[in-house]
Amino acid sequence: MKPYTVVWKGPVHKKSGLGRASRAYLRALRRQGVPVSVGSKKDYLTSNAKKALIYHHIPTQMKWKKLRRSYDPIILNTVWETSKTPKSWLSNMNKFDAICVPSQHNKRALRNSGVKVPIYMVPHGVNTREFHPDNKKMSLPGAEGKFIFVSIFGFQHRKNPEGLLRAYWEEFSSEDNVMLVIKTNGYAAYENEKWIKRKIKKYKEKLGIRKNTAPIVIIGKHISEKQLKGLYTLGDVFVLPTRGEGVGLPFLESLASGVPVIATGWGGQMDFLTPTNSFLLSYQLKNPSVSMNSSHAISRKFSNLFAQKGQLWAEPHLISLKANMRRAYENPELCRAKGRQGRKDMLRFSWDRAGKLMKHSLETVIRSKK
């Protein structure tokens, strides 16, 4: 293999799940001996080396003439949640030399959207040394001795916060020894913890629920990595009735922490969720606009991305969600068994594995460009 260098353009400085994944991919490549610089081609470029770009952003507004003068090849590393990508992506995606995606769900979505260039599978990993069952549990008033449901998500419609809240309120009362802990965040300055709590309160009133419901704790502020790890281990089960995930990083982290998952049986997470490590929800595929236009919608919609003609995502059945939450609550030993299996399963999903697969994909593309 002739010498080559790589420039990584991605959200490596962001605190989001996408940012964390971008940093993890970058470090994984470096551990494989790949010379990678971030955002600029100056650091590693030499006159006799092939110059490759890995672009980990939304593939729009690409300046192709300028990029082609500087790099060969140009690879897109992307992720998507519904059955098809936004229409504005397609013309640019087919100009890349190849695309790396983290799940079979993504590969199907890109092919369904009309992508013709080579697609390589480079799954996300999870650091099982950092996320493990022995992490000290987050200290939370009132949580001791209760069965804890934990959920972590951005406060947007795709994550189905209204479905989770409604199922919990309708299925459990103050007589059940349970607690739901939600770590969430908004997407604008005004979408803070107070705003989110107000949205949730209004939704409960809208549903006409006045009975003494089981407690919910909303964490809408930033927490440290140490607190995040302890939040997973605080839970007896992780629950997220998502409508669509490209991967579902919290699912990986929860399983690595020895905590089983209640999740929708459709999406990128189905590459690693199984009946032995999870409680899988039944669903129906629908266009996102159906639930977005429902009176139940309470969070940011991103309809410009998700509600285009031909797009589908999963609408998990409320009755399935309620039944599986009840089943988990009434069978703590089953939860522990699924959690042990999940931990075992995640030992195969390392970021080093991701780095090796990305390096192989990169070098395959470089060789094809001779």
Side-chain angles (χ1 to χ4, degrees), residues 48-103:
N48 63 343
K50 201 84 168 179
K51 303 169 181 64
L53 172 66
I54 298 180
Y55 190 81
H56 194 197
H57 283 295
I58 292 174
T60 56
Q61 301 177 340
M62 303 290 292
K63 298 178 180 178
W64 283 106
K65 287 185 179 180
K66 181 179 179 181
L67 290 172
R68 283 297 179 196
R69 285 196 298 268
S70 301
Y71 304 104
D72 188 24
I74 301 173
I75 297 172
L76 174 65
N77 188 48
T78 195
V79 63
W80 191 245
E81 295 88 7
T82 71
S83 62
K84 286 187 177 182
T85 59
K87 292 179 181 178
S88 61
W89 286 24
L90 182 59
S91 61
N92 277 310
M93 285 195 294
N94 277 324
K95 292 178 183 177
F96 286 90
D97 295 295
I99 300 175
C100 291
V101 296
S103 69

Side-chain angles (χ1 to χ4, degrees), residues 266-313:
W266 183 87
Q269 68 270 22
M270 294 310 295
D271 282 4
F272 55 88
L273 295 190
T274 69
T276 58
N277 63 30
S278 307
F279 300 86
L280 298 174
L281 306 177
S282 62
Y283 62 90
Q284 185 175 357
L285 292 179
K286 294 184 179 181
N287 183 271
S289 63
V290 175
S291 56
M292 285 182 180
N293 293 326
S294 165
S295 61
H296 289 278
I298 63 171
S299 52
R300 187 179 281 256
K301 298 178 182 178
F302 295 108
S303 56
N304 60 313
L305 295 174
F306 296 124
Q308 296 180 9
K309 185 178 179 181
Q311 285 183 319
L312 297 171
W313 67 16

